[in-house]
Amino acid sequence: GQSLEQPSEVTAVEGAIVQINCTYQTSGFYGLSWYQQHDGGAPTFLSYNALDGLEETGRFSSFLSRSDSYGYLLLQELQMKDSASYFCAAPRGGYNKLIFGAGTRLAVHP
Amino acid sequence: GAGVSQSPSNKVTEKGKDVELRCDPISGHTALYWYRQSLGQGLEFLIYFQGNSAPDKSGLPSDRFSAERTGGSVSTLTIQRTQQEDSAVYLCASSPFHKITGELFFGEGSRLTVL
């Protein structure tokens, strides 16, 4: 089977840095994706890590450690608009059939 | 438009009625997915279509759920004899490649409420 665990809620202030962790149990692991979803909106792709290490895209970075079955999303210089739910996801079955975690709700306060 | 289009955006129905939800993927995307998202929850995989291959139906929760994809483009998800527990947002996504990229393009979803 496959499951992904992430915290349900995280709170931070504007300008701060926040890390959202994701641990997974899976067979045939291919990589870890991160998605952002604002209330009432569609999930949007943020990043994909197929290999160990840190991937940086602007204010957002994503990290993967395959040996630890662990990854995280790092958000820097937080802005109010970053308040959203963040989901980690992993492909299963050799293609883009993504299995999602339950999501982490990030609240950014002034 | 350039994105994944879903209709209706909102559907309210009575228990026991059938509903059809439509998805128009991004032009040229060969892979199409349906997910279900209950309030405050993650995304639950339902079904996957890739080209002319047999669909992966492993996520369909019961035989009341079915989906088809005509001409490798538009897809319809049908729920028969709806139940209150079917109330959720049904999200469609597409992707351009068969290989793993971890990136899906989602529509805005169809919110289904079963009374």
Side-chain angles (χ1 to χ4, degrees):
Chain A
Q2 187 163 341
S3 67
L4 299 101
E5 300 291 331
Q6 50 183 132
S8 59
E9 292 185 12
V10 174
T11 302
V13 297
E14 267 187 307
I17 299 173
V18 71
Q19 178 174 313
I20 299 174
N21 298 322
C22 176
T23 58
Y24 59 87
Q25 295 180 347
T26 181
S27 57
F29 181 76
Y30 294 95
L32 195 67
S33 298
W34 288 93
Y35 282 75
Q36 179 191 60
Q37 185 181 32
H38 286 99
D39 286 347
T44 56
F45 174 80
L46 293 176
S47 67
Y48 177 65
N49 293 64
L51 302 175
D52 285 0
L54 190 68
E55 297 277 346
E56 298 182 63
T57 307
R59 294 188 297 114
F60 293 2
S61 303
S62 57
F63 172 82
L64 176 65
S65 169
R66 297 169 71 106
S67 61
D68 295 324
S69 297
Y70 164 75
Y72 65 73
L73 180 69
L74 190 73
L75 297 85
Q76 302 182 70
E77 301 172 20
L78 282 173
Q79 303 175 7
M80 296 295 289
K81 67 179 182 180
D82 297 330
S83 294
S85 292
Y86 293 83
F87 296 88
C88 58
R92 184 170 78 184
Y95 54 84
N96 278 335
K97 173 183 171 180
L98 294 187
I99 305 302
F100 284 78
T104 298
R105 190 170 185 85
L106 170 64
V108 180
H109 296 289
Chain B
V4 176
S5 178
Q6 294 188 243
S7 61
S9 55
N10 280 285
K11 176 71 176 179
V12 180
T13 191
E14 294 180 347
K15 178 181 174 181
K17 300 287 189 182
D18 297 352
V19 296
E20 287 189 350
L21 307 176
R22 175 188 168 105
C23 173
D24 201 340
I26 293 172
S27 177
H29 282 195
T30 58
L32 186 147
Y33 311 76
W34 284 98
Y35 286 84
R36 178 170 71 175
Q37 186 174 32
S38 300
L39 187 63
Q41 301 298 310
L43 283 72
E44 176 189 4
F45 169 80
L46 297 178
I47 189 169
Y48 162 79
F49 296 90
Q50 169 60 35
N52 295 320
S53 302
D56 179 341
K57 305 179 182 180
S58 60
L60 294 179
S62 77
D63 58 8
R64 297 186 296 103
F65 288 73
S66 63
E68 64 177 18
R69 188 179 185 189
T70 55
S73 181
V74 173
S75 176
T76 302
L77 177 69
T78 301
I79 309 172
Q80 297 178 307
R81 305 180 303 280
T82 52
Q83 304 293 314
Q84 289 182 334
E85 61 263 29
D86 300 333
S87 296
V89 176
Y90 290 82
L91 290 161
C92 176
S94 67
S95 68
F97 305 116
H98 179 69
K99 70 175 183 178
I100 298 169
T101 65
E103 180 175 11
L104 304 184
F105 297 81
F106 282 87
E108 296 288 329
S110 293
R111 180 178 298 277
L112 174 65
T113 303
V114 182
L115 302 176

